[in-house]
Amino acid sequence: MRRVIGSWLDGPKAALNDAREHADDERPQWRGEGLGLPASGSGSAAPTGRRALAFLVDILLAGLVTWAFTAPDVPGNYSVIGWFVITVVPVSLAGATPGMMLLRIWVARVDGATFVGPWRAIVRCLLSFLVIPAVVWNLDGRSWHDRLTGTLVLNR
């Protein structure tokens, strides 16, 4: 019984240290290890920084493209439509947005199929728009929108 109640009696640091000890047993050594991905190089899980930078490039590109149609006015909310098109069409057909292509990462299906397809690309885009599903990760480096669509983002 002491082990069960000991962690909260000893304070939050003891509970945190106990959780870390048990978590290390189940924690993979690299992102994607649980999916059979290599630790680094082509086919490994794309790092968070490159994914975020690709997303930023896509947002800026969508704003510029939309501004070309709305100039001299600011694009406003119409840039979301541009971002939707820039995200869904290339991911459906080529597996990568322009920002992903620039940073040499791509979206792949977990089941190994060649094309991501339109419904997966649309669901990924809509969930990315909500932000939270795209920024909550598991230990394999997959966010909610990746897990729901059966996809993952890999290095080229």
Side-chain angles (χ1 to χ4, degrees):
M1 185 63 160
R2 169 76 176 126
R3 177 149 172 79
V4 174
I5 62 172
S7 65
W8 66 267
L9 286 175
D10 295 336
K13 276 191 174 180
L16 182 60
N17 290 337
D18 187 50
R20 283 185 181 148
E21 288 173 12
H22 294 309
D24 288 340
D25 297 337
E26 300 168 12
R27 182 167 290 225
Q29 293 181 2
W30 64 84
R31 292 174 60 183
E33 180 184 22
L35 298 169
L37 301 177
S40 62
S42 182
S44 62
T48 307
R50 283 174 60 193
R51 289 181 70 161
L53 190 56
F55 181 71
L56 181 64
V57 167
D58 292 334
I59 288 173
L60 292 173
L61 182 62
L64 286 172
V65 168
T66 308
W67 179 76
F69 289 101
T70 63
D73 296 329
V74 176
N77 292 336
Y78 290 115
S79 60
V80 173
I81 296 168
W83 175 72
F84 184 82
V85 171
I86 284 174
T87 301
V88 171
V89 174
V91 168
S92 296
L93 301 174
T97 65
M100 289 177 161
M101 289 178 198
L102 182 69
L103 293 164
R104 302 188 42 78
I105 59 178
W106 61 293
V107 180
R109 286 179 47 177
V110 175
D111 63 7
T114 306
F115 293 105
V116 174
W119 82 264
R120 283 182 173 83
I122 290 169
V123 170
R124 286 184 95 255
C125 181
L126 293 175
L127 291 174
S128 293
F129 181 75
L130 297 175
V131 178
I132 298 298
V135 297
V136 178
W137 306 79
N138 67 4
L139 295 176
D140 283 323
R142 294 177 68 207
S143 56
W144 284 0
H145 74 310
D146 286 327
R147 289 181 276 172
L148 288 172
T149 58
T151 59
L152 59 145
V153 180
L154 303 173
N155 289 313
R156 280 218 188 262

